[in-house]
């Protein structure tokens, strides 16, 4: 609805060392202040000033992130409402933590383009031709709907649908007890509710950890560098680690001793994986055969296949290409500082739709192109789709976490022995939120609420 | 042909549960009101179950009372038992239900109507409306009487082209073999109203003397005296019990063996029946794994032997009905006094109404009750009172009264009907209310008395008592928020007695009351008020304090909803001319013609993208230009 406090990540992913989480609405400053520790309370500072401080988890006091916070009071802002911009470290992990913190403390995730919409509705932007804007809205909605439909067929959608069904059955059970108290249906007891909710919570937790994006966020894209001996795999790894500061994070599942293998390439966290990693893969195909190595390589999210510019393609190289068919691959032709002996046409032929990048790791040439290639592959190119992909993922995670929040509230209510109809308020909310993820249109077309007119974070 | 039979401000057609409330409200507001009914002996007649209230419905009865309606007071005077349901659950879903003496209920209501100023009660069958330039100016009866008025409220119940079906037999009839109203339905269609055909049903009645109660379970009323009306002070203590029995395997076998004779399955019935109130044959076909179904035996009154067999609604042939009864424990020898039947009737598609229940087609014409596609006495009465109020307000040139979804179940009911329509007889359920924690039975007076007072339905004296109660609640809550409870040995003792954990540090009495196991009585024990409050106030204080967290959350949702409700849309907006609206949205919006963006957002087929587009137009001031 209108005029509550909305938030979103307003910088594009994959660029720059910093990212901005923006809030707009009457409670923007209060929400920011509730998670901020600095010299002064944000409520007391002048408008249009910027402040250094730390974000904390208010419940535990744990520090989350070093930030710069800009305070801009309405109406002299983009939306004409109070606006807060939190500048934090770039990259998916840190910026998502900040977003999550803001969401958990009273803001609502903005619909795509909602900042612009508010600016428009508050009369900040004078659009003389409203019709043109309307056409734009409609066109974008239709395109976004296609994305939604694709996702609806996905695995996430199936799992969420199943959980919604469980919740719905539970809700219906509670309702029948309320509306038909004398009907001889089994009473939905607290212990029965507890059981159902614990199950749903566990499953949502699982989705959060195993859904592709959740996996990327928590662990980074698992990345294998493969190639014959002496093509420059170690140099490539060093170059990537060197160029990009390692991600220092205490995200669950990462341990200190493997932390050097995490790199952040233009906002995409990569995990240079051990299993199909450097040393073992030297002769992986020879050792275990194409089929088996394929299986191993399939577990990687991204494969960097390195070949030597200075040598003709060998059978071994061809085997490697065969082994990675159908996977997400970037082909790197290294050692351009040396004579060309490789048949580039054949390389491109073998690479097919995969990008081919030439580098001289020795002279630090071409690394930019590689990074660009990685970012593009992750964001599937094109700024448009980049936004949508990112938006929906970010929404999914936020929504799944909100689901858990409401299930926790419900479980808490059960613990406190609150009446079942109170507990149900949160169960229903959890059900609705899960519905927003899959854009279930059965109850009042949430699909458009999810994928509405504008692009997020503008 | 016709003759001039007089002039009134408001004419109410029908004297069922919608009609009586409409007529009483209108007359009490000072409008000269005529109430026309097919039969003066069946005022406020209960053709189906002899009961009033229950979840959601019981709250409607209290809302009616707070608005000055009659149903609550009337049932308080005429019930045979009352029970509070859902006492083991939260305060929001508690609900009162009464078993009525349906004959006393009718007599009492008739007496009240006859003794109401400005109200004329008359027998007559209305066959058509007097329409001038699209405005309703009166009605014409079968006998040629032309009554003139500035507003007409139609509450025709299940009489419009009513048809009773029992097995292979069917005939034109209103409920319980009363005269159906045929011509009026055709007349409404001629006026351009879109009609639907609905179906409902009723079970057989049996003679109490032939029931063997010894094999059934007794269902007594509550021992604590109860009342619907906030004004009732005299309670009925002499209550009659109901009884519970079950269908047997033989019942199911018998019904399965006779399905071919059921009009439901032979295709004889074309009307849509309600899912929530299926006939016994429906239950057995659709839930064939359920080994037995409950059958409640409910006396129809104190001075009759007729017993209503709740749960056995059926349209099977009479001979089968008799056999079914003989398979049910306790009813083996029961004598069938009236057979159950299904009834089909015409209703109007309720999206043709404004939120005031005035029709969009014909100005000055209001409709309420089953005619609008609902089912249930309480739903009918709730609409009746609102139609009566708005008809009178219109005649008096005053602003209409519309309740929103956060103010009353009546608001939820009417908004659902006029915004979403219904494809089966509509029944209120607590789950239809998104703010049900606010719409409690205990606070209906706090929600609505003010409004009832403003329109003149709540007398000054009653209003003063209400204001005093409201003030006392406020003061007591304030007191609890300021009184500190210290962890003294006495306090710890009391807490232990209440099975609550000891205090570690001082806290306000209000904070302590938030603990689920702590009641107001425990608080009063620790820190009694100087001026002790009565039970009703104590209950209110306890609910408001204990559930403040949840209540505040819902209030915040209501705030957001109101912002959208306050964005008004012109009724004659040409949605077809708005670029960007989806085709389906355009069609639906043109049909429903919502009066606010909030209402538009609840129309099925209208999605948030369409709402955004409407908002943009609204802000651009373009809506005014597009108005036709």
């Amino acid at each position: 609805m209108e005029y509550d406090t909305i938030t979103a990540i307003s910088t594009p992913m994959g660029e720059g060392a910093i990212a901005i989480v923006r809030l707009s609405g009457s409670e923007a400053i209060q929400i920011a202040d509730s998670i901020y520790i600095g010299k002064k309370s944000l409520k007391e500072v002048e408008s249009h000033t910027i402040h250094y401080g730390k974000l904390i988890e208010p419940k535990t006091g744990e520090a989350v992130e070093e930030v710069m916070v800009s305070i801009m009071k309405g109406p002299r802002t983009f939306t004409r409402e109070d606006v807060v911009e939190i500048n934090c470290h770039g990259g998916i992990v840190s910026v998502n933590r900040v977003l999550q913190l803001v969401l958990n403390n009273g803001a609502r995730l903005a619909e795509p383009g909602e900042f612009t919409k508010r600016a428009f509705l508050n009369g900040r932007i004078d659009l003389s031709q409203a019709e043109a804007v309307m056409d734009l809205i409609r066109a974008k909605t239709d395109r976004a709907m296609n994305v939604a439909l694709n996702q609806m067929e996905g695995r996430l959608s199936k799992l969420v649908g199943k959980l919604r069904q469980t919740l719905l059955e539970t809700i219906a059970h509670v309702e029948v007890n309320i509306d038909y108290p004398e009907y001889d249906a089994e009473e939905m007891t607290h212990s029965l509710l507890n059981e159902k909710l614990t199950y749903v919570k566990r499953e949502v937790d699982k989705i959060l950890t195993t859904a592709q994006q959740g996996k990327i966020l928590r662990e980074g894209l698992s990345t294998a560098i493969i190639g014959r001996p002496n093509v420059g795999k170690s140099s490539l790894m060093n170059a990537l680690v060197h160029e990009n500061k390692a991600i220092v994070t205490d995200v669950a599942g990462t341990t200190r001793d493997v932390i050097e293998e995490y790199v952040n390439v233009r906002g995409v966290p990569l995990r240079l994986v051990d299993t199909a990693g450097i040393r073992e893969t030297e002769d992986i195909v020879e050792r275990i055969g194409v089929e088996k190595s394929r299986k191993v390589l399939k577990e990687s999210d991204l494969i960097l296949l390195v070949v030597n510019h200075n040598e003709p393609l060998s059978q071994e190289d061809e085997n490697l290409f065969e082994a990675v068919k159908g996977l997400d691959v970037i082909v790197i032709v290294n050692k351009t500082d040396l004579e060309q002996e490789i048949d580039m046409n054949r390389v491109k032929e073998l690479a097919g739709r995969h990008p081919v990048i030439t580098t001289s790791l020795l002279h630090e040439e071409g690394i930019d192109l590689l990074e660009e290639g990685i970012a593009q592959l992750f964001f599937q190119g094109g700024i448009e789709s980049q936004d949508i992909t990112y938006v929906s993922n970010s929404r999914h995670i936020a929504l799944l976490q909100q689901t858990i929040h409401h299930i926790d509230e419900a479980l808490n209510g059960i613990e406190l022995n609150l009446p079942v109809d109170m507990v149900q308020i949160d169960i229903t909310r959890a059900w609705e939120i899960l519905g927003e993820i899959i854009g279930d249109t059965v109850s009042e077309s949430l699909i458009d609420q999810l994928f509405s007119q504008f692009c997020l974070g503008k | 042909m016709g003759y001039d039979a007089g002039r009134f401000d408001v004419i109410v057609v029908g004297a069922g549960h919608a009609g009586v409330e409409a007529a009483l409200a209108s007359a009490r507001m000072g409008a000269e009101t005529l109430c026309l009914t097919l039969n003066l002996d069946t005022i406020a007649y209960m053709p189906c179950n002899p009961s009033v209230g229950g979840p959601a419905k019981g709250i409607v009865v209290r809302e009616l009372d707070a608005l000055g309606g009659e149903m609550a007071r009337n049932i308080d005077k005429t019930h045979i038992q009352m029970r509070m349901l859902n006492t083991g659950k939260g305060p929001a879903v508690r609900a009162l239900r009464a078993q009525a003496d349906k004959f006393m209920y009718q007599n009492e209501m008739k007496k009240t109507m006859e003794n109401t100023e400005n109200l004329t009660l008359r027998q007559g069958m209305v066959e058509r409306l007097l329409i001038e330039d699209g405005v309703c100016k009166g009605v014409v009866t079968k006998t040629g009487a032309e009554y003139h008025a500035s507003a007409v409220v139609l509450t025709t119940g299940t009489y419009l082209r009513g048809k009773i079906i029992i097995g292979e037999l069917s005939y034109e009839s209103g409920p319980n073999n009363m005269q159906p109203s045929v011509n009026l339905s055709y007349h409404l269609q001629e006026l351009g109203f879109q009609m639907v055909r609905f179906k409902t049903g009723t079970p057989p009645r049996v003679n109490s003397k032939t029931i063997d109660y010894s094999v059934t379970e007794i269902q007594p009323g509550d021992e604590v005296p109860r009342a619907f009306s906030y004004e009732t002070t005299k309670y009925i203590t002499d209550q009659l019990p109901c009884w519970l029995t079950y269908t047997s395997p033989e019942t199911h076998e018998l019904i399965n063996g006779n399905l071919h004779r059921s009009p439901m399955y032979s295709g004889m019935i074309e009307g849509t029946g309600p899912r929530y109130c299926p006939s016994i044959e429906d239950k057995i076909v659709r839930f064939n794994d359920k080994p037995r179904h409950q059958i409640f035996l409910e006396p129809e009154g104190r001075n009759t032997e007729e017993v209503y067999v709740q749960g056995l609604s059926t349209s099977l042939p009479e001979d089968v009905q008799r056999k079914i009864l003989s398979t049910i424990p306790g009813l083996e020898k029961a004598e069938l006094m009236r057979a159950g039947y299904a009834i089909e009737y015409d209703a109007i598609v309720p999206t043709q109404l404004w939120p005031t229940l005035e029709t969009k087609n014909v100005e000055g014409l209001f409709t309420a009750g089953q005619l609008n596609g609902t089912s249930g006495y309480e739903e009918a009465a709730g609409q009746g009172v609102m139609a009566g109020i708005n008809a009178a307000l219109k005649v008096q040139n005053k602003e209409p009264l519309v309740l929103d979804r956060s103010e009353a179940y009546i608001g939820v009911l009417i908004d659902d009907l006029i915004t979403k329509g219904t494809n089966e007889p509509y029944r209120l359920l607590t789950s239809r209310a998104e703010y049900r924690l606010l719409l409690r039975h205990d606070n209906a007076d706090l929600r609505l008395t003010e409004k009832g007072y403003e329109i003149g339905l709540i007398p000054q004296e009653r209003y003063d008592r209400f204001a005093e109660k409201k003030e006392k609640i406020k003061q007591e809550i304030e007191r609890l928020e300021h009184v500190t409870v210290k962890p003294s040995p006495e306090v710890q003792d009391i807490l232990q007695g209440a099975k609550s954990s000891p205090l570690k540090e001082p806290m306000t009495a209000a904070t302590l009351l938030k603990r689920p196991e702590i009641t107001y009585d425990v608080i009063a024990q620790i820190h009694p008020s100087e001026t002790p409050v009565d039970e009703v106030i104590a209950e209110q204080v306890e609910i408001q304090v204990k559930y403040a967290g949840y209540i505040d959350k819902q209030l915040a949702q209501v705030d957001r909803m109101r912002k959208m409700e306050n964005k008004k849309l012109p009724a004659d907006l040409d949605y077809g001319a708005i670029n960007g609206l989806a085709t389906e949205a355009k069609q639906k919006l043109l049909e429903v013609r919502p009066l606010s963006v909030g209402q538009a957002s609840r129309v099925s087929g209208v999605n948030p993208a369409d709402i955004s587009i409407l908002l943009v137009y609204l802000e651009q001031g373009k809506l005014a230009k597009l108005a036709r």
Side-chain angles (χ1 to χ4, degrees):
Chain A
M1 295 279 126
E2 298 291 298
Y3 311 129
D4 50 348
T5 299
I6 53 170
T7 185
I9 300 170
S10 56
T11 39
M13 287 306 298
E15 271 172 40
I18 61 158
I20 295 174
V21 173
R22 183 194 271 165
L23 291 89
S24 178
S26 54
E27 288 175 23
I29 295 173
Q30 193 211 314
I31 291 169
D33 191 55
S34 72
I35 54 170
Y36 168 89
I37 289 188
K39 267 191 189 161
K40 268 189 182 173
S41 159
L42 295 174
K43 288 184 198 163
E44 287 157 18
V45 302
E46 290 283 304
S47 183
H48 293 75
T49 53
I50 189 160
H51 306 272
Y52 168 79
K54 278 183 183 144
L55 291 192
I56 52 150
E57 177 63 61
K59 278 182 199 145
T60 60
E62 174 206 1
V64 174
E65 181 79 15
E66 270 182 304
V67 290
M68 300 285 286
V69 180
S70 309
I71 299 293
M72 289 157 283
K73 291 179 186 161
R76 278 176 52 224
T77 63
F78 176 54
T79 57
R80 287 206 168 168
E81 302 172 334
D82 287 353
V83 169
V84 175
E85 290 185 354
I86 302 173
N87 293 254
C88 60
H89 292 118
I92 294 177
V93 176
S94 54
V95 75
N96 256 302
R97 288 192 73 180
V98 173
L99 178 67
Q100 203 50 53
L101 195 59
V102 173
L103 288 173
N104 289 345
N105 286 282
R108 170 174 68 73
L109 196 63
E111 289 166 32
E114 201 173 357
F115 287 96
T116 315
K117 188 167 111 190
R118 279 201 186 182
F120 186 57
L121 294 182
N122 288 330
R124 174 70 171 72
I125 303 173
D126 176 28
L127 286 168
S128 50
Q129 286 191 310
E131 283 84 358
V133 181
M134 294 305 100
D135 289 344
L136 193 71
I137 291 172
R138 181 53 62 193
K140 285 208 174 183
T141 308
D142 291 346
R143 192 159 57 230
M145 293 264 283
N146 290 333
V147 176
L149 287 175
N150 290 339
Q151 288 184 345
M152 276 182 66
E153 286 162 8
R155 180 165 162 268
L156 177 67
S157 158
K158 261 189 212 152
L159 283 169
V160 168
K162 208 177 95 193
L163 295 179
R164 288 192 89 215
Q165 191 53 35
T166 305
L167 288 180
L168 192 62
E169 283 167 14
T170 311
I171 294 165
H173 196 154
V174 174
E175 290 300 335
V176 83
N177 289 160
I178 291 171
D179 272 320
Y180 295 87
E182 287 160 323
Y183 182 70
D184 51 354
E186 185 191 0
E187 195 74 16
M188 182 51 103
T189 58
H190 275 172
S191 70
L192 208 54
L193 263 186
N194 201 331
E195 195 181 300
K196 298 264 184 200
L197 293 180
T198 310
Y199 161 76
V200 172
K201 186 185 166 179
R202 201 169 53 229
E203 292 298 307
V204 174
D205 264 331
K206 258 196 233 163
I207 296 176
L208 266 175
T209 40
T210 58
Q212 181 59 16
Q213 289 309 319
K215 188 175 163 197
I216 289 168
L217 285 175
R218 280 166 180 258
E219 302 172 10
L221 288 173
S222 75
T223 307
I225 302 177
I226 60 168
R228 288 190 291 124
N230 280 325
V231 292
K233 298 191 296 292
S234 297
S235 313
L236 177 59
M237 174 158 177
N238 288 339
L240 285 173
V241 172
H242 214 247
E243 282 280 306
N244 302 283
K245 66 171 184 220
I247 299 172
V248 182
T249 167
D250 56 355
V251 172
T254 68
T255 51
R256 294 284 161 192
D257 56 347
V258 296
I259 213 157
E260 292 86 47
E261 293 179 355
Y262 281 75
V263 295
N264 183 341
V265 175
R266 304 199 177 187
V268 185
L270 299 187
R271 182 163 55 106
L272 301 173
V273 186
D274 231 7
T275 45
I278 297 180
R279 278 147 212 96
E280 283 89 340
T281 48
E282 300 238 331
D283 50 2
I284 179 170
V285 176
E286 242 171 64
R287 199 154 42 85
I288 59 175
V290 174
E291 272 317 300
K292 276 199 175 168
S293 56
R294 265 187 74 81
K295 251 187 193 165
V296 174
L297 291 171
K298 255 191 182 165
E299 281 165 21
S300 306
D301 296 317
L302 173 65
I303 292 158
L304 304 178
L305 169 54
V306 190
V307 292
N308 192 341
H309 183 256
N310 188 226
E311 285 174 15
L313 282 171
S314 66
Q315 185 56 44
E316 223 176 312
D317 286 324
E318 302 245 355
N319 287 345
L320 282 172
F321 274 106
E322 183 62 31
V324 299
K325 233 181 206 170
L327 307 177
D328 277 332
V329 180
I330 295 178
V331 178
I332 296 148
V333 182
N334 189 29
K335 303 196 182 182
T336 51
D337 46 292
L338 299 175
E339 283 289 294
Q340 177 175 353
E341 297 289 339
I342 199 164
D343 176 356
M344 279 306 279
N345 286 336
R346 178 66 184 151
V347 170
K348 280 179 184 153
E349 198 180 308
L350 287 168
R353 64 178 176 88
H354 304 303
V356 176
I357 285 158
T358 54
T359 60
S360 165
L361 293 167
L362 185 70
H363 293 172
E364 295 181 10
E365 280 168 20
I367 295 169
D368 269 12
L369 289 172
L370 173 60
E371 291 187 357
E372 185 64 40
I374 291 171
Q376 277 214 0
L377 196 68
F378 178 64
F379 296 120
Q380 291 155 20
I383 290 167
E384 277 277 320
S385 67
Q386 161 181 335
D387 275 354
I388 287 165
T389 312
Y390 173 65
V391 164
S392 52
N393 297 334
S394 153
R395 285 187 75 85
H396 288 168
I397 289 157
L399 291 169
L400 286 169
Q401 275 162 351
Q402 281 175 41
T403 304
I404 291 201
H405 167 75
H406 284 285
I407 291 179
D408 279 340
E409 290 275 294
L411 285 168
N412 188 36
I414 292 171
E415 181 78 30
L416 288 173
N417 208 20
L418 287 178
V420 70
D421 49 296
M422 300 275 176
V423 173
Q424 200 207 307
I425 293 175
D426 280 300
I427 306 177
T428 306
R429 193 68 200 117
W431 177 75
E432 287 168 357
I433 292 170
L434 283 179
E436 286 178 34
I437 291 178
I438 55 176
D440 191 341
T441 55
V442 175
S443 64
E444 310 292 33
S445 59
L446 288 165
I447 196 161
D448 288 88
Q449 200 164 332
L450 192 76
F451 296 103
S452 76
Q453 313 71 346
F454 303 84
C455 284
L456 178 74
K458 252 189 136 179
Chain B
M1 294 214 316
Y3 74 97
D4 187 344
R7 181 168 178 88
F8 295 85
D9 292 328
V10 174
I11 297 172
V12 176
V13 180
H17 304 282
V20 296
E21 296 291 352
L24 286 170
S26 164
R28 285 169 177 164
M29 286 168 71
E32 268 311 316
T33 305
L34 169 69
C35 182
L36 283 166
T37 171
L38 288 173
N39 189 336
L40 280 172
D41 297 330
T42 55
I43 286 172
Y45 179 62
M46 296 183 174
C48 201
N49 56 322
S51 83
V52 167
K57 291 162 169 270
I59 301 178
V60 168
V61 180
R62 287 216 155 162
E63 290 174 351
L64 269 165
D65 183 58
L67 289 169
E70 198 57 34
M71 187 174 241
R73 274 179 288 199
N74 205 56
I75 188 67
D76 283 351
K77 287 185 269 186
T78 59
H79 62 275
I80 60 165
Q81 69 154 262
M82 267 205 210
R83 290 179 69 187
M84 185 68 84
L85 305 173
N86 285 334
T87 48
K89 303 187 184 83
V93 297
R94 262 168 234 160
L96 201 51
R97 194 198 50 213
Q99 293 302 134
D101 181 318
K102 56 166 67 171
F103 305 100
M104 276 174 72
Y105 190 91
Q106 281 172 244
N107 290 340
E108 193 60 36
M109 192 65 90
K110 189 179 182 205
K111 194 165 86 191
T112 302
M113 293 193 68
E114 285 169 344
N115 291 313
T116 298
E117 250 183 273
N118 307 324
L119 181 55
T120 304
L121 206 49
R122 200 158 293 172
Q123 188 161 299
M125 157 122 35
V126 170
E127 297 211 312
R128 63 191 174 84
L129 305 171
L130 294 171
I131 310 281
E132 281 170 35
D133 300 329
V135 180
C136 188
K137 299 283 189 187
V139 301
V140 183
T141 68
K142 197 174 186 173
T143 53
E146 287 180 10
Y147 293 99
H148 300 269
S150 307
V152 171
V153 182
L154 287 184
T155 67
T156 56
T158 58
Y159 287 76
L160 283 192
R161 288 209 305 130
K163 184 167 111 181
I164 280 183
I165 302 138
I166 309 172
E168 296 89 349
L169 172 71
S170 84
Y171 53 92
E172 285 195 351
S173 173
N176 196 29
N177 293 343
M178 285 186 283
Q179 270 192 91
S181 171
V182 178
N183 290 344
L184 185 57
S185 182
Y186 291 123
H187 180 63
L188 287 172
Q189 288 175 50
E190 279 163 22
L191 289 174
F193 284 100
Q194 199 191 336
M195 312 292 283
V196 281
R197 194 106 176 118
F198 280 165
K199 171 242 156 192
T200 185
T202 195
R205 315 306 199 257
V206 297
N207 189 325
S208 179
K209 286 183 176 153
T210 59
I211 296 174
D212 176 8
Y213 289 109
S214 68
V215 295
T216 64
E217 294 165 36
I218 191 163
Q219 305 273 306
D222 288 348
E223 279 176 29
V224 195
R226 309 269 190 201
F228 275 101
S229 172
Y230 292 94
E231 290 292 284
T232 294
T233 48
K234 269 169 68 187
Y235 297 92
I236 291 173
T237 48
D238 164 30
Q239 300 190 79
L240 296 182
C242 294
W243 308 84
L244 171 62
T245 180
Y246 295 90
T247 57
S248 67
E250 292 75 48
T251 319
H252 295 213
E253 206 177 302
L254 185 71
I255 289 171
N256 278 320
N258 282 284
L259 280 180
H260 61 283
R261 298 185 62 197
S262 158
M264 287 302 291
Y265 294 93
S266 65
M268 230 168 99
I269 287 184
E270 43 170 317
T272 311
R275 275 169 305 173
Y276 48 80
C277 183
S279 61
I280 186 69
E281 49 269 32
D282 244 6
K283 290 186 209 170
I284 281 163
V285 170
R286 279 162 53 200
F287 304 96
N288 64 356
D289 52 342
K290 201 167 152 80
R292 61 178 197 174
H293 296 278
Q294 291 164 313
I295 302 290
F296 289 92
L297 304 173
E298 306 175 354
E300 296 228 311
R302 291 177 191 273
N303 297 313
T304 175
E305 294 301 326
E306 276 191 86
V307 171
Y308 178 90
V309 187
Q310 194 220 298
L312 211 62
S313 174
T314 182
S315 55
L316 283 163
E318 194 175 286
D319 57 308
V320 181
Q321 292 188 27
R322 294 170 73 133
K323 285 184 202 140
I324 291 173
L325 288 173
S326 70
T327 63
I328 295 170
L331 301 182
E332 292 91 343
K333 301 211 169 84
E335 181 204 319
L336 178 82
M337 290 179 76
R338 300 184 202 213
Y341 59 84
I343 182 165
E344 280 188 345
Y345 57 98
D346 288 346
I348 74 164
V349 173
T351 50
Q352 300 170 101
L353 305 173
W354 298 121
T356 53
L357 297 178
E358 185 172 5
T359 66
K360 293 170 186 169
N361 263 7
V362 179
E363 199 190 328
L365 179 67
F366 296 74
T367 61
Q370 270 177 304
L371 173 61
N372 287 348
T374 59
S375 138
Y377 312 142
E378 304 81 354
E379 285 88 342
Q383 293 171 69
V385 79
M386 296 311 294
I389 288 170
N390 281 311
L393 288 171
K394 188 180 176 84
V395 170
Q396 295 163 355
N397 283 318
K398 291 183 186 157
E399 283 294 301
L401 177 69
V402 173
L403 303 175
D404 77 26
R405 303 182 69 90
S406 70
E407 289 172 327
Y409 270 97
I410 296 174
V412 172
L413 162 71
I414 293 176
D415 184 65
D416 276 350
L417 287 175
I418 62 154
T419 307
K420 296 174 184 164
T422 181
N423 46 24
E424 65 180 331
Y426 177 103
R427 179 201 207 264
L428 257 184
L429 298 164
T430 67
S431 52
R432 295 199 200 259
E434 48 279 77
Y435 315 111
R436 87 177 159 201
L437 193 47
L438 305 180
L439 305 184
R440 305 187 305 271
H441 90 108
D442 60 82
N443 71 353
D445 59 338
L446 294 169
R447 289 184 274 128
L448 300 169
T449 307
E450 198 87 45
K451 292 181 192 287
Y453 174 68
E454 276 166 24
I455 53 172
L457 282 174
I458 298 293
Q460 187 66 41
E461 191 198 357
R462 176 172 176 184
Y463 180 73
D464 291 344
R465 277 198 301 277
F466 161 75
E468 191 191 335
K469 172 184 172 185
K470 199 173 155 187
E471 184 58 26
K472 277 189 187 159
I473 295 166
K474 193 173 142 231
Q475 282 174 2
E476 183 59 3
I477 290 176
E478 273 170 16
R479 184 182 79 88
L480 297 186
E481 279 167 350
H482 289 95
V483 167
T484 307
V485 181
K486 300 203 178 75
S488 67
E490 297 80 45
V491 166
Q492 307 290 34
D493 270 0
I494 293 172
L495 288 180
Q496 197 182 4
K499 293 192 176 126
S500 192
S501 52
L503 287 189
K504 291 194 186 108
E505 50 194 47
M507 57 170 72
T508 65
T511 310
L512 184 60
L513 184 52
K514 285 185 200 289
R515 290 187 179 183
E517 67 280 5
I518 298 294
T519 60
Y520 177 85
D521 288 346
V522 176
I523 299 290
Q525 221 179 320
I526 297 172
H527 270 293
S529 168
E530 276 171 34
T531 48
V533 300
D534 66 30
E535 259 175 62
V536 175
I537 290 172
E539 182 197 24
Q540 202 47 235
V541 169
E542 180 173 327
I543 292 169
Q544 288 192 22
V545 171
K546 197 178 280 301
Y547 302 111
Y550 282 98
I551 291 171
D552 287 348
K553 267 195 224 171
Q554 295 220 317
L555 285 173
Q557 288 173 5
V558 170
D559 268 355
R560 287 203 290 275
M561 182 265 297
R562 287 255 166 82
K563 280 185 181 136
M564 298 301 262
E565 297 302 312
N566 289 338
K567 291 183 187 295
K568 300 296 176 201
L569 292 168
D572 55 355
L573 187 62
D574 183 6
Y575 292 95
I578 299 181
N579 278 347
L581 283 181
T583 312
E584 191 192 357
K586 282 182 186 174
Q587 285 167 355
K588 287 291 176 65
L589 289 169
L590 279 168
E591 181 191 325
V592 175
R593 287 191 267 156
L595 296 179
S596 71
V597 176
Q599 193 193 345
S601 70
R602 289 188 296 275
V603 175
S604 62
V606 173
N607 63 41
D610 301 311
I611 294 302
S612 285
I613 284 163
L614 282 180
L615 280 172
V616 169
Y617 267 89
L618 203 60
E619 297 299 315
Q620 293 283 310
K622 289 208 168 186
L623 289 170
K625 285 183 212 160
L626 284 167
R628 283 174 296 194

